[in-house]
Amino acid sequence: MIKLATRVGKVPPSITLAIAAKAKAMKTQGIDVCSFSAGEPDFDTPQHIKDAAKLALDSGKTKYGAASGEPKLREAIAKKLRNDNNLNYGPENVIVSNGGKHSLFNLMLALIETGDEVIIPAPYWLSYPEMVKLAAGTPVIVETTAETEYKITPQQLREAITPNTKLFVLNSPSNPTGTVYTPDEIKALAEVIIDHDLLVVSDEIYEKILYDGAEHISIGALGEEIFKRTIISNGFAKSYSMTGWRVGYLAGPTELIKATSIIQSHSTSNVCTFAQYGAIAALEDSQDCVQEMLTAFTQRRRVMVDRIQAMSKLSCSTPMGAFYVFVDISQTGMKSLEFSDALLEAEKVAVIPGIAFGADDCIRLSYATDLGTIEKGMARLEKFVKV
Ligand code: PLP
C-alpha cells in the first residue's frame, strides 16, 4: 500500500475535466452528445500563430531556454501590458509559465504558507481554492449572489479580512459567471485592498472576450498604491484559441517574479520553446483573429441566453464577458450534480455542475461551440426541464 502525502487528500480531482472526459468518451462511442462543458474556444489556433511556431521548430528552437521565458516573449508581454492595460512593467516583471493555471500555481507557492488566508469570491474558477490548499494556505470563500451579478461588494471584502489575510483573487471577466466588474466597482475594491495592505491577483485571462460595450480595466492601472500590490495572471489560451499550447504568464513586482522563477527553474523549467514563438506572433501580429472569434461568441451567446431565459424553471443573467452562461436551477428542485448527471443520461447534454465552482444551485454552460449544437442542445434542455 502506498501512503500518499496528506496534501493529496485535501484536493479533489477537477470536476470540469472529469465531465468533459465523460462527454468525450460518450461521443467516441457514437452517442450524439451536445457538450457545453468545454472551457476552451472551439476554433483552431489562427494560422499565422501556427506558422510562427513551425518556423521556430524548423529553425532549431528546440532546446532548453531561459526558465522564465524567451526574452523576446517577456518583452512582448511587457509591451502588451503597457499598451493594452496601462501597467508599467518591464520584461523583468514577467514570467512565462505553462498556462495561466501554472502561473497561478507558481504564485501561490511563492506567496502562501500555513496560516495565510486567501479571499476568493464564489462562484469561483474551481482551481483557485485547491491551489491555495496545495500551498498549505486557507481559502476564505465569500458567497455572492445573482442579485449582485455575482460580484463581491467592498463591504463583503472588508468583512472577510482578518490579520491573516494575504491575498484577494479577482477574476473579471469571470469564469464561471461571465460577470465583468465596472471600473467604479474595481476602484472600490482597490481602496479596500490598499486600506488593509493586501495583495491582489487579477486573473485577466478572459479580458478580450467582452460584450455590449463592457470595458475591461486592470486593477493595477488605478494608481501607484494598488499597482504595487497587484499581480496579473493571463495567458494565450482563451484569446487566441491556444489552450493546448500551454503558454501563460504572471506579471508583478520583481522580487515576486524572481521567486516564481526559482520555483519554476526547479520544477518545469521553460515552457516549450517553439510554442513561445507562436505566442510572440499572437501578440505582435494582427488582432483580427480575436475579433472574429468574438463575433461568433456574441451571436452564440444571444441564442443561448434567449433560449434559457425563456425556460420557466431556469434563470440566468446575460453574461458580459467570457463564454459561459451561469444558470440558476433551484426551481427544478435538483442540486447541480444530480441535474447534470440526469441531463447527460436522459438528453445527452453535458454541462458543468455549479458545485465545482462553489454554487450548488447552478450549472455552467459554455457556448464555445457551434450554433447547430447550441440549437439542438437548447431543445433538449427545454425537454428535460419540462418533465
Ligand atoms: N483562469 C481562469 C479563470 C480560467 O478559466 C482558466 C482556464 O479555464 C485559467 C485561468 C487557466 O487557463 P490556462 O492554464 O489554459 O492558460
Side-chain angles (χ1 to χ4, degrees), residues 39 99-101 104 125 128 171 175 203 205-206 237-238 246 324:
K101 195 178 253 185
L104 290 160
W125 180 50
Y128 297 141
N171 175 217
N175 175 9
D203 181 349
I205 200 148
Y206 294 98
K238 318 289 177 175
R246 311 310 303 136
Y324 309 105

Side-chain angles (χ1 to χ4, degrees), residues 189-303:
L189 293 175
E191 280 163 16
V192 180
I193 292 159
I194 296 168
D195 277 357
H196 293 268
D197 199 16
L198 306 181
L199 292 167
V200 54
V201 57
S202 182
D203 181 349
E204 307 190 351
I205 200 148
Y206 294 98
E207 66 167 335
K208 295 199 186 293
I209 309 175
L210 296 166
Y211 310 101
D212 297 344
E215 193 187 337
H216 169 73
I217 173 164
S218 193
I219 189 165
L222 290 172
E224 198 45 40
E225 284 304 310
I226 190 70
F227 180 66
K228 287 193 292 200
R229 294 171 172 83
T230 299
I231 303 114
I232 305 288
S233 178
N234 205 331
F236 294 83
K238 318 289 177 175
S239 301
Y240 300 99
S241 204
M242 291 172 68
T243 44
W245 292 60
R246 311 310 303 136
V247 192
Y249 55 91
L250 206 62
T254 325
E255 76 234 75
L256 177 63
I257 296 302
K258 266 194 197 145
T260 57
S261 300
I262 294 170
I263 291 170
Q264 183 155 302
S265 72
H266 289 298
S267 48
T268 59
S269 291
N270 63 284
V271 171
C272 169
T273 310
F274 49 88
Q276 293 186 59
Y277 283 82
I280 294 169
L283 288 180
E284 291 189 340
D285 291 356
S286 159
Q287 301 298 299
D288 289 355
C289 54
V290 179
Q291 200 49 50
E292 281 160 25
M293 289 189 239
L294 187 59
T295 305
F297 286 144
T298 305
Q299 191 188 11
R300 295 157 175 194
R301 159 183 169 269
R302 198 62 278 156
V303 173

